[in-house]
Amino acid sequence: MRMVKFLKMLSISVREGTATRKYPFESPLVTPEFRGKIEVDPVKCVGCGACTRICPPKALTIGNEGDEIVLKYFEGRCIFCGMCAYVCPQKAITVSKEFELATWELGDLYDEVVHTTVKCRICGKPFTTVKFVKEVEKRIDNKVPEDLLTVCPECRKKLTARKIGSKVVGVSGE
Amino acid sequence: MSHDYSKLIDELSRGHRSRAILSKILEVCGDSVLDLSRRNIIIKIVIKANCLRTALENIYKEHDLYLRTIAASDERSREGLFKLYYVFGIDSEGTNLVFEVPVAEGAKVDTISDLFRASDWYELEAHDLLGIEFNGRQMSRLVLPEDWPENLYPLRKEVSVEELKKMYQPQLISRVSELGVEEVVRIPVGPYHPALHEPEYFELYVRGEKVVDARYVGFMVHRGIEKLAESMKYDQVPFLAERICGICGFVHSTSYVQAVEDALGIEVPERAHFIRSIVLEVERLHSHLLWLGVALHLLGYDTGFMHAWRIREKVMVLAELLTGSRKTYGIDLVGGVKKDIDKDKIPRIKETLNVLRKEFKELVDVAMSVPQVKARLTGTGVLPRGEARAYSLVGPTVRGSGIARDVRKDYTYAAYHYVSFKVPVYTEGDNLARTLVRVDEVFESISIIEQLVDMMPGGPIKAERWEPQPMRLGIGAVEAPRGEVIHVVLTDLYGPYRWRVRAPTYQNLQAVPIMLKGVDLADAPLTIASIDPCFSCTDRAVIINLRSGSVKTLPIEVISRRVRENG
Amino acid sequence: MLAVSDGGKPDLTMSEFALNKLEEVFTKLKRSVWVFHLNTGSCNGCDIEVLDVLTPYFDVERFGIKLVGSPRHADLILLTGPVTIKTIGKVVRAVKAMPRPRLVLALGSCGVGGGIWFNTYATLGGYPQLEKILKDAGVEVDRVVYVPGCPVRPEAIIYGVAVLLGLLQPKSKHRRVSAVEG
């Protein structure tokens, strides 16, 4: 009897029947909690870049392209951790259940959101997005110093340095 | 320091073993001990480099003391020195004994690889990545590629991740045209081999059908993780840590966050501890089922392989339901977890566990009664208890050789102190013993999860806020399916200053040559697999160097030359 | 297995090959594809999902897909991992050992884009970087499909194979939208 105990596997197999899923001819085994590709809502996104700073593999990047600022999402490097959705202050990012992303064109794996920009009052370089400026104004009730929203960080540094400089000169001149 | 230490020792020690060890150290090198302190379970001894060896020579025979990890760190920007942190564990007291050793640039440290054999690789790694020199042993480049520039040490702070990428231009042409000709008669296993799922390279030296020696040449999966983490923020690193290993990733992220929490004294909500423990055990279930399946496959019993994986799939679905991903769960954050386990999922968990227990029992009963499975597991790949202790081994490997070492019991963490469970131990030390340890652990894990979900407290799942502070040392250890994972973190303001990872396979692989000696060639793949090796964990920063009983290690060219000369 | 060319002779370029044989071979390929699993320094996550695809739940043998032990027998390479510097030589040799047509499925965020380590000193950064080296070494690859995921789900791998064989059209499309004022 002991010799043939391993034959018991047959009865287990019969009881269990076919385990195989018929995917792709039936729905995949995706649970409601599954984290797939992310979707950036172009209406809600203000281009603040919070998601690009937390993204562990730098799949989300933000940068200037000519006169525009572009938020780029590269699905091919995404690790589907959902941190971007977790930190997004505008709740513009949602995690979808999409995982059927295979393609033969690497370019197909990019999603881009293009923002119109605000140009620096001094050097003329685009430095932030129109929507971000509006959002800041809305949130702090229009009490933002004018320079903060119209001058780019580099020019602002120079401006401050000049102000301090002139003060110091002024003091020593007295 | 004054010469009456007894009061100090009373304050610091956590039991008679640490008391004895501390008194011994202070007795033999009291003047070289620069500082002594204790925080929770960590006793820290700052000691001069020239006295470290003397101290360890006097205590290394102490029972229960084993080397957990060595972390080297570049702290020249702060104190003008490199530092070595030697972490020893005293199992019976659950105490970590940390030796902090300042090393001036260019100074040499005495090796301890003859006292603690496990330290061999740590020293080589410190040399490769930070340029720290060791006295009394042969050094060789092992971690980094052969064409890596001299005097460029990736973990030194003066070079950033981006600069390294520019400074090191691999000679791709010569790599592509490498010859595939084998010069001596040996049996190479890997780097691409049907029985290995990862690119690793073993060389087995055989006489007839018997393996007489083995060499492991790792390094294939070195991805530069510890350097990469220097450019990351606290909450990005858990996701990096998780990708150290795709099988036991959650173990690494938990270990990392625990180290940070330990260093900064962050209070983690109880509920988060419970969630972490539950997910850790789910991970152990899938990993052990995976291992059992692959082991049965290597034994030629593919029916068992298929059934093990059929059963395992239910665990994968459960994992996705609890965390949102089948693997690399991505829910650990410093101070808690990102995702809660809702009440309505608990019946589903229990149902899955019930089915799993029943089906797994059936499978094991049948699989273990298959004559070839039994015959090939029994008495092969024997690892004696003494060797297991000498090499500071961990996990099911050491538990199969009669030592009940388990982080969950010895250095308890997360919510494990709330549950009752057994640590399965077998004394035979063969492949069967290691298999049975894992089989028993599956049942224990099921019971642990059941207890945890019943006791789960309410409340928040993440600490509200916490303040980072520079240069605090923290240790996080977790019992992975393969054994103990230990992370050492030195904190900084935005992210870890130094993050040292030690995976279980790092310790356990050294035992493989011992197990392999004298087995039949056909049993070699299973014996290698019996430690459940995980090379992606191990190689994140290191290559392993075979010690075939002798202290000297030789580069492969030397061996092949010798073989040519002699034969 | 479909052996078309001998690995020893210099490779035909992709266009020459496409003109002569590719279409013919693809009609045959619909019958059965043999795959070789090539781990180039992956974390194991994708690799266990590859194994999952071969075991009962997803069982790709129903499509005639079979895992083989040598690249010489394979039509398709399942490439996982970010291609570490130390594996390059071996990876190129393994790809070269495949008979034409050489098909590659670049799996996971590492295989596709280098993943979280795309920029470290020890990795190359995924298949797109490897492709350049293969070109320099004179090794032509006839078709590549990128399958993102971290790790790739077993279903995603099956979907990728279906795309590769032309059974399904890829759903992913490059999307570039303007941020609309709310």
Side-chain angles (χ1 to χ4, degrees):
Chain A
M1 189 55 213
R2 268 194 69 223
M3 285 299 287
V4 292
K5 194 178 170 193
F6 62 87
L7 288 177
K8 207 180 144 204
M9 196 57 98
L10 287 173
S11 71
I12 297 176
S13 298
V14 169
R15 189 193 69 211
E16 290 298 320
T18 309
T20 310
R21 305 282 299 179
K22 295 200 174 55
Y23 182 85
F25 307 109
E26 71 176 348
S27 57
L29 264 179
V30 175
T31 62
E33 305 293 338
F34 176 65
R35 292 188 305 262
K37 164 191 170 172
I38 62 158
E39 303 278 356
V40 184
D41 185 339
V43 178
K44 288 184 186 161
C45 176
V46 295
C48 65
C51 49
T52 64
R53 284 188 287 277
I54 193 73
C55 182
K58 303 188 178 68
L60 280 157
T61 47
I62 193 158
N64 288 28
E65 270 182 26
D67 269 358
E68 290 160 335
I69 286 180
V70 181
L71 176 71
K72 255 193 197 165
Y73 170 47
F74 180 29
E75 290 157 31
R77 192 173 291 145
C78 179
I79 57 168
F80 308 95
C81 62
M83 279 309 274
C84 43
Y86 190 75
V87 299
C88 179
Q90 298 301 107
K91 302 272 166 282
I93 299 180
T94 46
V95 180
S96 76
K97 307 226 175 318
E98 187 56 61
F99 68 89
E100 293 165 332
L101 304 170
T103 173
W104 44 67
E105 239 356 286
L106 211 50
D108 282 345
L109 298 176
Y110 284 91
D111 274 4
E112 290 160 22
V113 177
V114 184
H115 285 272
T116 44
T117 52
V118 177
K119 293 199 180 75
C120 173
R121 171 160 66 81
I122 296 170
C123 67
K125 267 191 226 146
F127 73 98
T128 187
T129 70
V130 173
K131 284 175 81 178
F132 183 63
V133 170
K134 278 194 185 152
E135 186 62 30
V136 173
E137 280 171 343
K138 196 173 91 192
R139 286 210 183 184
I140 44 179
D141 216 10
N142 291 326
K143 274 179 226 141
V144 201
E146 174 75 14
D147 278 359
L148 216 61
L149 298 176
T150 54
V151 181
C152 76
E154 280 103 73
C155 293
R156 206 153 55 219
K157 250 183 242 161
K158 284 182 206 153
L159 214 62
T160 328
R162 212 177 301 151
K163 269 183 200 162
I164 296 172
S166 67
K167 258 186 205 159
V168 172
V169 172
V171 169
S172 63
E174 268 176 7
Chain B
M1 297 185 89
S2 82
H3 286 280
D4 185 24
Y5 300 123
S6 55
K7 202 171 156 226
L8 185 69
I9 293 171
D10 280 346
E11 262 171 44
L12 295 177
S13 54
R14 280 172 45 87
H16 69 277
R17 284 196 202 285
S18 51
R19 180 191 303 271
I21 289 171
L22 284 178
S23 346
K24 193 80 199 170
I25 292 170
L26 288 171
E27 183 194 320
V28 292
C29 37
D31 293 336
S32 299
V33 175
L34 304 171
D35 188 30
L36 263 179
S37 59
R38 178 162 80 85
R39 183 170 54 81
N40 300 330
I41 62 162
I42 302 175
I43 300 177
K44 195 161 93 174
I45 304 160
V46 184
I47 192 167
K48 285 184 189 160
N50 55 16
C51 208
L52 173 77
R53 200 186 146 85
T54 322
L56 291 175
E57 266 170 354
N58 281 286
I59 60 165
Y60 80 101
K61 285 194 174 134
E62 189 71 30
H63 191 69
D64 265 2
L65 187 73
Y66 76 112
L67 179 65
R68 299 184 87 187
T69 185
I70 300 174
S73 153
D74 174 8
E75 292 169 27
R76 286 172 302 160
S77 59
R78 290 168 195 272
E79 297 173 40
L81 294 162
F82 291 101
K83 283 213 178 134
L84 286 167
Y85 298 88
Y86 291 73
V87 182
F88 294 89
I90 308 170
D91 270 356
S92 54
E93 288 176 12
T95 304
N96 283 315
L97 200 62
V98 179
F99 289 88
E100 183 182 318
V101 184
V103 185
E105 194 165 354
K108 285 192 167 189
V109 187
D110 290 329
T111 182
I112 58 159
S113 59
D114 49 334
L115 307 177
F116 292 90
R117 290 191 236 174
S119 76
D120 186 12
W121 316 334
Y122 295 105
E123 291 176 1
L124 290 172
E125 187 179 340
H127 177 251
D128 253 19
L129 300 178
L130 281 149
I132 295 172
E133 300 282 345
F134 289 88
N135 274 330
R137 59 162 301 160
Q138 221 179 18
M139 302 303 292
S140 52
R141 164 167 298 171
L142 296 159
V143 179
L144 299 166
E146 316 78 60
D147 54 357
W148 187 266
E150 285 291 323
N151 299 324
L152 177 61
Y153 301 104
L155 278 185
R156 289 195 176 183
K157 292 285 177 184
E158 61 255 26
V159 282
S160 72
V161 179
E162 290 78 22
E163 281 164 0
L164 274 173
K165 184 93 178 170
K166 281 186 208 126
M167 286 162 92
Y168 169 55
Q169 303 287 344
Q171 293 174 356
L172 298 172
I173 307 291
S174 61
R175 283 180 178 279
V176 168
S177 52
E178 276 172 32
L179 288 176
V181 184
E182 300 297 339
E183 288 174 341
V184 288
V185 183
R186 57 196 174 205
I187 297 183
V189 182
Y192 295 110
H193 185 272
L196 299 172
H197 303 294
E198 293 177 76
E200 292 304 323
Y201 186 56
F202 284 91
E203 280 173 356
L204 308 181
Y205 298 82
V206 292
R207 188 174 297 136
E209 277 289 296
K210 296 282 181 204
V211 178
V212 290
D213 205 351
R215 250 183 102 76
Y216 167 70
V217 189
F219 66 69
M220 298 284 180
V221 198
H222 177 63
R223 289 158 294 182
I225 294 174
E226 287 175 3
K227 185 70 190 177
L228 185 56
E230 287 180 5
S231 68
M232 286 188 157
K233 300 179 193 79
Y234 277 115
D235 271 345
Q236 289 179 314
V237 179
F239 301 97
L240 177 65
E242 221 157 28
R243 278 156 187 81
I244 289 170
C245 173
I247 300 176
C248 52
F250 195 70
V251 163
H252 283 286
S253 65
T254 309
S255 201
Y256 159 78
V257 293
Q258 284 182 1
V260 176
E261 286 154 6
D262 174 40
L264 299 174
I266 300 166
E267 285 286 325
V268 181
E270 280 295 287
R271 191 172 175 85
H273 278 318
F274 273 76
I275 294 171
R276 279 182 192 164
S277 308
I278 291 171
V279 177
L280 283 170
E281 290 309 311
V282 168
E283 191 168 68
R284 190 183 322 280
L285 285 177
H286 107 78
S287 180
H288 279 354
L289 282 164
L290 178 156
W291 180 84
L292 188 75
V294 172
L296 290 174
H297 169 68
L298 292 173
L299 288 168
Y301 183 54
D302 265 5
T303 314
F305 169 45
M306 291 293 170
H307 278 277
W309 279 65
R310 173 179 61 79
I311 297 171
R312 172 180 173 271
E313 198 55 33
K314 298 186 172 82
V315 184
M316 301 299 279
V317 175
L318 180 68
E320 188 185 303
L321 185 79
L322 296 182
T323 66
S325 183
R326 290 164 57 87
K327 271 312 308 161
T328 51
Y329 305 136
I331 62 167
D332 258 331
L333 292 176
V334 173
V337 292
K338 204 171 86 181
K339 194 168 172 58
D340 206 351
I341 295 178
D342 308 329
K343 259 212 174 69
D344 51 331
K345 285 178 191 155
I346 289 174
R348 178 78 184 272
I349 300 175
K350 288 190 168 169
E351 187 195 315
T352 310
L353 292 178
N354 278 333
V355 175
L356 185 70
R357 183 186 330 227
K358 190 173 136 271
E359 294 199 355
F360 186 69
K361 194 165 177 356
E362 273 177 356
L363 171 71
V364 170
D365 277 353
V366 176
M368 289 302 159
S369 68
V370 175
Q372 100 238 25
V373 170
K374 224 172 164 179
R376 290 187 58 189
L377 285 173
T378 314
T380 54
V382 176
L383 176 73
R385 183 190 157 104
E387 300 274 10
R389 221 183 78 72
Y391 277 98
S392 302
L393 301 188
V394 292
T397 312
V398 81
R399 294 198 283 274
S401 293
I403 299 174
R405 178 173 292 157
D406 188 321
V407 188
R408 290 175 295 176
K409 277 262 195 261
D410 301 335
Y411 309 84
T412 189
Y413 56 95
Y416 286 109
H417 54 288
Y418 290 110
V419 292
S420 72
F421 63 97
K422 283 201 293 279
V423 177
V425 176
Y426 288 79
T427 50
E428 294 82 357
D430 57 358
N431 286 336
L432 184 67
R434 289 187 285 275
T435 308
L436 291 177
V437 167
R438 291 192 177 93
V439 166
D440 290 0
E441 278 183 12
V442 168
F443 294 114
E444 291 300 324
S445 286
I446 293 174
S447 135
I448 291 173
I449 302 174
E450 283 172 343
Q451 295 176 48
L452 285 171
V453 292
D454 280 341
M455 282 192 281
M456 198 142 74
I461 56 167
K462 194 176 177 304
E464 280 286 297
R465 53 172 56 245
W466 49 274
E467 293 296 325
Q469 272 155 346
M471 299 320 272
R472 298 280 186 90
L473 178 81
I475 295 175
V478 169
E479 183 71 21
R482 296 160 181 73
E484 161 199 287
V485 162
I486 179 163
H487 289 209
V488 179
V489 166
L490 273 174
T491 59
D492 207 344
L493 282 179
Y494 302 102
Y497 181 84
R498 174 78 172 97
W499 172 46
R500 174 75 174 88
V501 180
R502 201 274 285 147
T505 310
Y506 196 100
Q507 308 272 85
N508 287 345
L509 254 178
Q510 305 173 91
V512 170
I514 301 169
M515 298 179 195
L516 278 177
K517 266 181 208 167
V519 307
D520 285 334
L521 183 57
D523 289 329
L526 177 79
T527 305
I528 294 171
S530 75
I531 66 158
D532 199 358
C534 183
F535 302 113
S536 56
C537 294
T538 310
D539 290 2
R540 106 244 92 74
V542 79
I543 139 135
I544 290 135
N545 182 338
L546 169 107
R547 307 170 54 83
S548 50
S550 63
V551 180
K552 239 167 125 191
T553 54
L554 295 170
I556 187 74
E557 297 81 63
V558 180
I559 288 193
S560 43
R561 212 180 310 132
R562 283 207 183 154
V563 173
R564 270 206 305 278
E565 281 162 6
N566 298 342
Chain C
M1 198 209 33
L2 300 139
V4 176
S5 78
D6 166 18
K9 289 175 199 150
D11 280 0
L12 301 171
T13 64
M14 190 160 161
S15 57
E16 283 166 356
F17 190 82
L19 281 175
N20 299 335
K21 299 238 172 81
L22 200 58
E23 285 316 307
E24 178 198 329
V25 167
F26 267 110
T27 41
K28 281 187 195 163
L29 264 183
K30 276 174 191 151
R31 289 184 210 150
S32 176
V33 180
W34 285 15
V35 301
F36 178 70
H37 173 200
L38 188 68
N39 175 329
T40 67
S42 139
C43 76
N44 265 347
C46 295
D47 309 275
I48 56 171
E49 297 294 42
V50 165
L51 268 187
D52 221 340
V53 165
L54 302 165
T55 49
Y57 260 82
F58 300 97
D59 189 20
V60 283
E61 274 188 47
R62 64 204 156 107
F63 302 116
I65 296 170
K66 194 176 151 211
L67 191 72
V68 292
S70 161
R72 292 205 187 278
H73 300 162
D75 304 302
L76 168 65
I77 277 187
L78 299 178
L79 185 136
T80 61
V83 193
T84 57
I85 302 292
K86 293 224 176 189
T87 58
I88 292 173
K90 282 93 183 167
V91 168
V92 171
R93 282 221 304 272
V95 176
K96 200 172 176 181
M98 265 171 99
R100 298 291 284 275
R102 295 195 186 101
L103 312 177
V104 170
L105 211 59
L107 294 180
S109 62
C110 294
V112 178
I116 203 162
W117 4 79
F118 72 100
N119 205 18
T120 69
Y121 60 88
T123 72
L124 207 57
Y127 182 78
Q129 307 301 319
L130 177 71
E131 198 171 32
K132 291 174 197 153
I133 294 174
L134 287 172
K135 272 235 166 68
D136 290 344
V139 182
E140 294 282 338
V141 171
D142 296 298
R143 191 172 280 189
V144 189
V145 165
Y146 300 96
V147 189
C150 192
V152 277
R153 295 178 68 86
E155 290 103 327
I157 301 175
I158 295 174
Y159 185 85
V161 175
V163 167
L164 181 93
L165 300 181
L167 303 174
L168 287 171
Q169 280 300 309
K171 282 198 277 188
S172 289
K173 282 280 166 292
H174 179 204
R175 200 176 69 123
R176 191 181 166 94
V177 288
S178 286
V180 207
E181 300 280 327

